[in-house]
Amino acid sequence: MKVVLAKEMGFCFGVRRAVELVEQTVAERGHLCVLGELVHNKQVVQRLEVAGVKTVREVADVDDDTVVIATHGAPAEVFEKARERGLRVIDATCPYVRVIQQKARRLSDSGFEVVLLGDRGHTEVQGIVGWARGVVHVVAGAAELGDVLPVEEKPRKTARKIAFLSQTTQSLAAFQELIVRAAHIYLKTTSEMSVHNTICDATALRQQAAMSLASRCDVVIVVGGRDSANTKRLVELCAQTGVRVYQIEVADGLNPLWFEGARVVGLTAGASTPDWIISEVQRSIEELK
Ligand code: F3S
């Protein structure tokens, strides 16, 4: 049984930046509060807790003079609340997420109805919605478009402007499908449609690498947090190639039965999975041989 690694996997730029920022700050101060999980990986969060980092849910729960905004960002009102409480804010929002938040604000301020392809429950999406000053229609896919954003009865082409954004971790295929469908439904009654491909390159590269890996393997193991959107997407995309795919958080989650009859095993990991967990998993699969 051969273990093949995906060409791109594990910590992305935004996650590495946030983790390093928090590690350095907590080393200097001995204690630190982060609003929400810094990254969607339980093991990384637990390791930071040992170093003195406390994860809180609300600004009201912060019992420190400093608060860190997590990698996926937060709505504008969270920053305001922190300022009202006189807290120092360390912003660990990934710069690529920050770009989408600013676009959402600028586009809604300029009269665009904003459509965001994303998972409604995800903190990144809630943060982006919370930066726009107008309504943001969140859709999980092209099929939801007509329900979420009704077609205008009377054509008033000169007045309607629609902008399209994507959560950083969506697949390009899903965004392309959304745009094609939107052009079909709305172009007749819309004066301007503005498309912004805000899918993160790190995500796209990990997705391409995972799919190319899956096409060469009998089994693929995806390592990443249960709440990690980009990890879930890697699992879905690998499954689409017809390969057997299993998601685990740590090496302990491996089941020897998964590898029966497998000659080539692929290993990939989400953008918030640290190198030490990937290495442990690789070692454990190799020991199964
Ligand atoms: Fe940022 Fe892309 Fe990572 S948006 S957090 S660099 S997956």
Side-chain angles (χ1 to χ4, degrees), residues 12-15 71-72 94-97 124 168-169 198 200-203 206 230 271:
C12 60
F13 152 75
V15 167
T71 322
H72 301 96
C94 172
Y96 298 137
V97 174
E124 179 190 331
T168 53
T169 46
T198 48
C200 167
D201 280 350
T203 303
R206 274 156 188 69
N230 73 83

